[in-house]
């Protein structure tokens, strides 16, 4: 089975890689740079190895596509979608799998080369775009989200990420070598009110304690202006101005291996899902935190198979309980390390790259 996978990379992450990407002279080199740093939990083993049956593309990086187009005789005015379609046809792909399915338009999906027999798209968000109806299956590890998508006519299936294989290089770091007490990375937005309140509550508490915390916040593009100029005192900029306690602990966002290095040196990771998936849990930070051997403190809900409260991670029902758990596990390092080690071992056993490929292949066979 020949699989063409479209990967995903955040624009801010791509910006950080630009100095390294600038020296690349072909698409293989650009893909190698991106793959060395991008999260791999959603990437199929066949597509990140040297197996010719797998092919991986990152169309977010236009220059990489243009390198391939030039090397394969396409004119300079060829559109990015046309280049991607040409790559699929050149690979003679039988399965098209995109972990960024919302980016593909109806026009693009209708022009899929004839060699493609199945089209699978990952969708862990609300429905956007025009191309989703043209996938043979829409997948995610959120049953509630899948059910909601099925109600509007999408064919949905359950599929999980693997553990984050980028963390293998560090192994399980002993507790005494983990210098950060508490870590959080994610979006800070008033649109995610529960998360914003939790971050504010925790940041206020940190001001009264001697914890070594590392909060890496991805903010609105107007946040800097709102916080550094008088405009932040007036709408609409006042809506993205973060509370003073949050500004005091916030640091710039991190991505890829830089973030995994921080996760591997932290004891506790604070996590909170957004409410789009109901009670379903299992966002990417869940897989990344356990993969890095940190103790995840996360909101209560229905987690994927193998995630057990008190055994592989711990959950809270309220912000007050989250604060209590942080204090408890900082003061009980042996118990914290036991749970973290259980999670580190579980995620590799139940969510290996081999199992991910087997599940994907089984899905394709069913379809």
């Amino acid at each position: 089975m020949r699989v063409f996978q479209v990967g995903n990379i955040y624009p801010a992450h791509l910006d950080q890689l630009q100095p390294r990407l600038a020296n690349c002279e072909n698409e293989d080199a650009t893909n190698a740079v991106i793959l060395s740093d991008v999260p791999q939990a959603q990437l199929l083993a066949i597509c990140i190895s040297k197996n010719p049956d797998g092919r991986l593309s990152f169309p977010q990086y236009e220059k990489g596509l243009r390198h391939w187009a030039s090397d394969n005789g396409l004119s300079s005015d060829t559109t990015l979608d046309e280049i991607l379609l040409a790559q699929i046809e050149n690979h003679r792909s039988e399965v098209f799998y995109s972990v960024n399915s919302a980016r593909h338009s109806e026009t693009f999906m209708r022009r899929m080369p004839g060699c493609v027999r199945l089209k699978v798209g990952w969708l862990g968000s609300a429905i956007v775009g025009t191309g989703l109806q043209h996938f043979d299956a829409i997948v995610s590890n959120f049953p509630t989200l899948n059910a909601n998508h099925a109600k509007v006519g999408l064919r949905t299936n359950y599929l999980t990420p693997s553990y984050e294989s980028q963390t293998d290089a560090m192994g399980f770091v002993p507790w005494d070598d983990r210098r950060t007490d508490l870590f959080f990375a994610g979006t800070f937005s008033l649109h995610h009110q529960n998360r914003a309140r939790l971050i504010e509550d925790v940041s206020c508490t940190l001001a009264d304690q001697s914890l070594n915390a590392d909060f890496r916040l991805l903010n609105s593009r107007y946040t800097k202006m709102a916080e550094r100029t008088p405009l932040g005192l007036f709408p609409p900029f006042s809506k993205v101005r973060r509370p003073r306690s949050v500004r005091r602990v916030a640091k710039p966002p991190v991505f890829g291996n830089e973030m995994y290095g921080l996760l591997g040196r932290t004891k506790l990771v604070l996590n909170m899902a957004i409410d789009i998936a109901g009670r379903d849990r299992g966002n990417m930070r869940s897989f990344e935190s356990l993969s890095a051997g940190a103790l995840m403190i996360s909101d209560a809900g229905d987690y994927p198979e193998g995630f057990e409260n008190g055994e592989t991670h711990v959950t809270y029902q309220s912000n007050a309980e989250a604060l209590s758990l942080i204090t408890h596990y900082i003061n009980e390092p042996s118990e914290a390390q036991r749970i973290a080690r259980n999670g580190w071992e579980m995620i590799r056993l139940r969510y290996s790259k081999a199992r991910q490929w087997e599940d994907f292949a089984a899905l394709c066979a069913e379809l």
Side-chain angles (χ1 to χ4, degrees):
M1 182 169 66
R2 297 178 67 82
V3 181
F4 187 101
Q5 181 167 17
V6 171
N8 189 35
I9 181 169
Y10 289 113
H13 190 179
L14 196 57
D15 288 344
Q16 288 187 357
L17 293 178
Q18 286 295 348
R20 293 168 58 192
L21 289 168
N23 296 321
C24 297
E25 297 181 352
N26 55 58
E27 195 212 20
D28 287 342
T30 63
N31 276 359
V33 168
I34 295 173
L35 187 58
S36 71
D37 205 74
V38 78
Q40 297 185 0
Q42 289 185 297
L43 302 181
L44 301 175
I46 193 175
C47 296
I48 59 177
S49 66
K50 295 183 179 180
N51 190 326
D53 287 341
R55 174 76 160 83
L56 181 64
S57 182
F58 291 97
Q60 296 87 354
Y61 185 52
E62 179 177 345
K63 190 174 180 180
L65 288 185
R66 296 291 178 195
H67 279 316
W68 188 89
S70 176
D71 291 344
N72 286 271
L74 299 182
S75 64
S76 59
D77 61 353
T78 306
T79 69
L80 300 183
D81 275 357
E82 288 172 336
I83 297 172
L84 191 58
L85 290 168
Q87 288 183 333
I88 297 168
E89 187 168 20
N90 177 266
H91 181 248
R92 306 187 310 281
S93 310
E94 298 167 286
V95 178
F96 173 76
Y97 178 40
S98 177
V99 297
N100 195 8
S101 59
R103 72 169 283 126
H104 306 300
S105 67
E106 178 181 9
T107 301
F108 173 85
M109 296 300 296
R110 286 186 179 278
R111 294 182 60 195
M112 198 65 62
C115 56
V116 175
R117 298 167 57 195
L118 291 174
K119 300 175 287 293
V120 182
W122 178 279
L123 184 64
S125 67
I127 295 175
V128 295
T130 61
L132 295 173
Q133 294 284 352
H134 298 277
F135 282 90
D136 297 296
I138 292 295
V139 299
S140 82
N141 62 316
F142 302 110
T144 298
L145 203 56
N146 289 344
N148 291 340
H149 292 159
K151 289 177 183 178
V152 296
L154 300 182
R155 180 172 181 174
T156 61
N157 292 82
Y158 184 81
L159 192 71
T160 70
S162 72
Y163 83 100
E164 182 46 67
S165 51
Q166 294 279 33
T167 63
D168 283 345
M170 70 185 80
F172 183 84
V173 178
W175 224 240
D176 289 343
D177 294 336
R178 293 173 177 262
R179 302 307 180 190
T180 302
D181 294 317
L182 180 65
F183 181 86
F184 175 85
T187 302
F188 182 88
S189 167
L190 297 182
H191 295 295
H192 303 151
Q193 294 184 6
N194 290 339
R195 177 186 288 181
R197 281 196 295 269
L198 177 61
I199 293 173
E200 185 173 3
D201 288 348
V202 173
S203 62
C204 287
T205 301
L206 291 175
D208 301 325
Q209 298 183 11
S210 58
L211 295 182
N212 179 14
D214 193 351
F215 278 34
R216 302 291 181 145
L217 303 183
L218 186 61
N219 307 300
S220 162
R221 56 184 169 176
Y222 301 114
T223 298
K224 184 180 295 186
M225 184 181 298
E227 294 177 354
R228 297 185 180 182
T229 74
L231 289 173
L233 301 175
F234 308 98
F237 297 101
S238 58
K239 294 182 179 180
V240 298
R241 185 181 176 92
R242 299 170 299 180
R244 180 172 297 179
S245 61
V246 174
R247 299 201 302 269
R248 186 167 49 239
V249 300
K251 296 180 182 178
V254 289
F255 304 97
N257 284 325
E258 184 179 3
M259 186 180 73
Y260 300 135
L262 294 174
L263 282 173
R265 294 190 295 274
T266 196
K267 297 172 182 176
L268 311 181
V269 172
L270 184 63
N271 182 50
M272 174 179 269
I274 56 177
D275 57 8
I276 190 172
R279 281 189 52 82
D280 293 341
R281 301 293 181 262
N283 61 355
M284 291 307 301
R285 190 70 73 247
S286 300
F287 285 81
E288 292 166 340
S289 300
L290 271 63
S291 297
L295 172 56
M296 180 177 70
I297 299 178
S298 189
D299 47 338
D302 300 326
Y303 281 82
E305 171 188 320
F307 285 75
E308 297 183 21
N309 181 30
E311 291 298 321
T312 60
H313 66 294
V314 293
T315 64
Y316 58 85
Q317 298 280 356
S318 66
N319 289 5
E321 186 177 10
L323 294 170
S324 176
L325 289 170
I326 291 169
T327 300
H328 173 78
Y329 285 105
I330 286 296
N331 293 322
E332 297 291 341
S334 60
E335 184 181 1
Q337 179 171 253
R338 177 188 67 81
I339 297 173
R341 180 79 190 207
N342 287 345
W344 185 82
E345 293 176 350
M346 181 280 293
I347 204 79
R348 283 166 167 74
L349 177 65
R350 290 182 180 258
Y351 296 96
S352 66
K353 299 304 287 185
R355 173 177 170 171
Q356 180 186 40
W357 170 246
E358 290 170 1
D359 289 347
F360 185 82
L363 170 64
C364 291
E366 177 186 337
L367 293 172

